[in-house]
Amino acid sequence: MFNLDTFKTYSRAVAFGAVAISAIAFAGAAKAAPVQLFPFFQPLPPMAAPQPLQPYQPYQAPTYQTAPSEDQDAVEMPARFRRQTVSYATREAPGTIIIDTPNTYLYYVLGGGQALRYGIGVGRDGFTWSGIQSVSKKAEWPDWTPPPEMIARQPYLPRHMAGGPGNPLGARAMYLGGTIYRIHGTNAPETIGKHVSSGCIRMTNEDVTDLYSRVNVGTKVIVLPMSERRADLGAATR
């Protein structure tokens, strides 16, 4: 016989179990994927740990490698070709220039039996000359225009070259009379003491600048021939 009270008690138990199961299921789903109530608010990224303060470092300008020096006279010169005052017996007046071609020296007469001696480069075989001239012109960092005679022998030479460190005439030039010859500097200081030129007298840029400061237009220049090999007169006086 159907018992109403028993049925009611059974129904309540079933309902309670269903509610319990739903609650458990809802709790599990919430743990697995929590509902985002305000999706338009983005969580802030985690903040990095603060870095310790660095001690103050004064500004240091970057260092740059300096360009190579353009001083062409950095070649180590033999002692006998370095500029020096020597004993030199001559009857020529102070201020005269004497070119000792065979010994590759240039003497600037000081007077009192002394002269300032420089090492020089002179004409190669077949291009030496001798005689008396005078300085007709002076020029700083002169342009170079090879004469026709030189062009005929060396057609590859430039017809004109502006003055500057790369110019064969170097820092200074003293032109000799109406000839094609000059006393001038050089961008090849290793040729000092040698017979290498086409007749010009070459000096280091440092030496030719020193001589240039002492010489005036009109200065007498005596060029000794190769056959007149004078003894090296001098012990240096200072």
Side-chain angles (χ1 to χ4, degrees):
M1 183 176 189
F2 179 76
N3 190 323
L4 181 60
D5 293 334
T6 302
F7 177 76
K8 291 179 178 179
T9 301
Y10 176 77
S11 298
R12 292 191 189 101
V14 170
F16 178 79
V19 171
I21 291 172
S22 298
I24 293 171
F26 178 79
K31 290 180 179 179
V35 177
Q36 188 172 6
L37 298 180
F38 303 100
F40 47 83
F41 288 118
Q42 296 299 324
L44 294 175
M47 295 183 65
Q51 298 297 320
L53 293 177
Q54 298 296 324
Y56 171 75
Q57 296 290 339
Y59 173 76
Q60 294 182 350
T63 57
Y64 300 94
Q65 185 177 4
T66 57
S69 170
E70 293 183 351
D71 182 7
Q72 300 292 336
D73 296 341
V75 173
E76 183 66 24
M77 196 68 58
R80 73 188 188 94
F81 292 132
R82 295 173 189 162
R83 182 171 72 246
Q84 54 195 294
T85 301
V86 298
S87 299
Y88 190 75
T90 180
R91 295 180 180 177
E92 298 296 336
T96 302
I97 293 174
I98 300 175
I99 307 295
D100 186 348
T101 305
N103 289 311
T104 61
Y105 291 137
L106 181 152
Y107 292 93
Y108 179 78
V109 178
L110 298 174
Q114 293 187 329
L116 195 57
R117 189 182 74 188
Y118 305 82
I120 57 174
V122 298
R124 60 186 182 273
D125 188 29
F127 288 87
T128 58
W129 59 282
S130 61
I132 299 176
Q133 291 291 337
S134 61
V135 174
S136 57
K137 176 184 173 183
K138 297 171 62 180
E140 298 184 10
W141 294 107
D143 294 346
W144 180 45
T145 303
E149 300 92 332
M150 186 177 290
I151 294 292
R153 294 190 302 269
Q154 300 166 288
Y156 54 84
L157 291 176
R159 288 350 185 220
H160 180 80
M161 183 179 290
N167 192 301
L169 298 186
R172 304 288 186 272
M174 288 154 278
Y175 297 76
L176 302 180
T179 72
I180 62 173
Y181 304 119
R182 291 156 285 223
I183 300 170
H184 63 77
T186 181
N187 58 5
E190 67 277 5
T191 61
I192 298 303
K194 299 178 181 178
H195 298 254
V196 291
S197 77
S198 296
C200 285
I201 309 303
R202 61 177 65 178
M203 308 172 72
T204 66
N205 284 336
E206 180 181 357
D207 282 353
V208 78
T209 300
D210 180 84
L211 181 65
Y212 185 94
S213 68
R214 302 172 187 273
V215 168
N216 298 314
V217 171
T219 293
K220 183 179 180 181
V221 179
I222 301 172
V223 180
L224 302 178
M226 274 294 294
S227 58
E228 188 175 339
R229 180 171 289 277
R230 297 184 57 173
D232 181 3
L233 297 175
T237 60
R238 60 179 170 88

